[in-house]
Amino acid sequence: MLNEMLPGYEGLVADPYPAYADLRASGEPRLVTLRNGLYGWLVTRYDDARAALADPRLSKDPRHAPADWREAGRGRPLEDRSGLGTHLLTTDPPEHTRLRRVVSGFFTPRRLAGLRPGIESAARELAAGLSSGADLVGDFAAPLQSGVLCDVLGVPAADRTDFQRWTAAVVSSSDPGEPGEPGDPDARPAALRALGAYVGGLAEGKRRAPGDDVISAMIAAAEDGDRLSGDELLSMIFLLLVAGHETTVGLVGLGTYTLLRHPEALELLRARPELIEQAVEELLRHDSPVELATWRFALEPVEIGGVVLPAGQPLLVALAAANRDPLRFAGPDVPDLTRQDNAHLSFGHGPHYCLGALLARLVGRAALAEVARLPGLAPAVPMERLRWRASLTVRGPRELPVTFG
């Protein structure tokens, strides 16, 4: 997506970091425009990014955007506050606080710790079934995270094949009007309809017979007085589904990609598997699966990096650029799996800090620990031939074929 925002740079999808370095050096946010007409100010420095992520004067609600921006963004059903678009990424306090409270009871450290043995077992089983030449995105990361999400959402075993097929169609397609992705352009809308109907029925079933899952937890919280409407419930489920799948698959795919490009880091992780927690944090910093935080809109004139944004102006925080700011991180372009001071922004900062960060870390640690155990791991194709996701926010290879053993 940065190709169209920053003309004059080549290879931005595979490596946006030279462009980000130039933008950071200039200091000020840069006004950029997408092919579909959306536009905004791009923030690249760490201090500016961290401040913007927590600034209450920057709204997440797209209804505060200018009319031309809203018109350009129409038809993005998970983001434009229509239908499935009312969730944690499109609301502000107190609405955001209420929605977050409804779902946060499930994402406690103690509760998620109970998922860890199952996640690690699933990662081992999938890794054991891989053969040389396998795609570590499609054959490993995606089915692992799909299974985790089915467990978290309480999808019955008999429904998981259809559920995962619909999910794959929803999360693997590009945004409306953006070229670059293969497949049937009608696949995503059809999958959204099928998935919406299924999730609605699933929620009704859990209302009658609750289980130990996040949908049941949301319904219970709503019935305790948090007033969750039907559209809000479906929107929150879709957010967990789409955002949770894309970002975690991106974490595993990009983490493996980085280890393959830096074999010394892969060898260190093999020799010292106890570094896995530090390693995952450093891989998140070095190449964030969420390249750009979702849109924010100035509620009043706001100064960022020496530029005053008028009220209503859209803003994008480049998390990937901030995570490589040399004013914050020593040697930012080289992954250091022993890095101690690692306050990266890959899960955001402030009131919108990612609710699923701990779950993503559990999956990332389990998956990348198994990747590091594959003997003789090497890319099966030249790295420059990899295809990359055509997405505004989520970054990662579409597939990652490898050889090993």
Side-chain angles (χ1 to χ4, degrees), residues 153 199 203 215 218 232-241:
L153 294 171
V199 166
I215 297 178
M218 284 193 287
E232 287 174 336
L233 176 62
L234 288 179
S235 295
M236 292 287 283
I237 294 171
F238 267 82
L239 175 65
L240 295 172
L241 177 64

Side-chain angles (χ1 to χ4, degrees), residues 12 50 94 112 114 123 159 161 208-209 222 224 266 296 303 312 317-318 325 332 336 357 373 376 399:
L12 283 180
R50 185 178 170 90
L112 292 182
D159 298 343
T161 298
R208 295 188 299 269
D224 284 342
L266 178 57
R296 284 167 165 79
E303 181 178 351
V317 177
D325 189 339
D336 176 6
R373 294 189 185 103
E399 59 273 316

